[in-house]
């Protein structure tokens, strides 16, 4: 059974040289029929911006567990976290301090009807081009570019083996 309450507070957050460590995920799925990739974006808690799920990496979890937790809490999806896309240093808009963000892709296995932040956020499936337009964070857009390159190269590799 999953917890229906999001973790809050910063007392168990990981820091490295004064930078808060955050973990984000690009939840994705293959659209039925044509194999097109769709990604899931969510609204910020205040509802003014669209982004991918992300939040603090806590002391009692691995980086992959943090990515899974953030997807569940903020977007109501579960699935398989894949190899890290990279890490970015960025300045928090709200606090003006630097964070280190780690981003992962997650192939969604299940979309839940009830999740901890359902009443705080909207979630929308869209194609990659649309997500790049609406996502407010430069570092998340860069992670999306890395994801697209990875998907393209893995598709190319699969086709190579078939020919």
């Amino acid at each position: 059974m999953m917890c229906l309450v999001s973790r809050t507070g910063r007392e168990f957050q990981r820091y490295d040289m004064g930078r808060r460590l955050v973990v984000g995920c690009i939840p994705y799925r293959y659209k039925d029929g044509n194999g097109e990739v769709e990604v899931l974006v969510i609204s910020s808690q205040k509802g003014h911006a669209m982004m991918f799920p992300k939040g603090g990496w806590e002391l009692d979890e691995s980086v992959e567990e943090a990515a899974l937790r953030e997807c569940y809490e903020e977007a109501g999806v579960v699935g398989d976290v894949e190899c890290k896309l990279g890490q970015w240093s960025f300045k928090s808009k709200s606090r003006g301090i630097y964070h280190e963000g780690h981003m992962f892709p997650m192939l969604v296995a299940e979309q839940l009807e009830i999740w901890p932040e359902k009443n705080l956020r909207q979630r929308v499936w869209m194609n990659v081009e649309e997500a790049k337009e609406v996502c407010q964070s430069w570092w998340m857009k860069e992670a999306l570019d890395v994801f697209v390159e990875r998907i393209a190269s893995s598709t190319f590799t699969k086709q190579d083996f078939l020919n």
Side-chain angles (χ1 to χ4, degrees), residues 13-27 51-58 61-71 74 81-91 98-106 137-144 146-147 150:
Q13 296 287 291
R14 290 180 189 254
Y15 290 84
D16 183 26
M17 297 179 5
R19 293 175 187 238
R20 181 171 174 240
L21 303 182
V22 298
V23 179
C25 228
I26 298 176
M51 64 185 68
F52 294 110
K54 69 117 179 91
W57 176 9
E58 299 193 354
E61 59 192 357
S62 70
V63 68
E64 294 85 3
E65 289 169 335
L68 284 169
R69 178 178 51 77
E70 290 300 333
C71 282
E74 295 186 353
V81 171
E82 298 172 351
C83 293
K84 185 162 81 169
L85 296 167
Q87 63 187 58
W88 289 262
S89 180
F90 66 96
K91 193 172 187 178
Y98 282 93
H99 291 57
E100 183 176 294
H102 301 257
M103 288 292 286
F104 294 84
M106 184 186 80
S137 301
W138 66 267
W139 66 280
M140 288 185 175
K141 288 182 182 188
E142 284 189 10
L144 185 57
V146 173
F147 171 69
R150 184 180 292 173

Side-chain angles (χ1 to χ4, degrees), residues 2 27-29 38-42 71-72 74-80 106-115 118 122-126:
M2 294 185 173
Y28 76 98
R29 67 184 182 190
E38 291 184 312
V39 295
L40 185 65
V41 294
I42 60 169
C71 282
Y72 165 68
E74 295 186 353
V77 291
V78 294
D80 298 316
M106 184 186 80
L107 181 57
V108 173
E110 184 178 2
Q111 181 172 309
L112 306 170
E113 294 301 316
I114 298 171
W115 70 96
K118 178 179 181 170
Q122 299 295 313
R123 64 182 179 190
V124 181
W125 286 100
M126 58 183 61

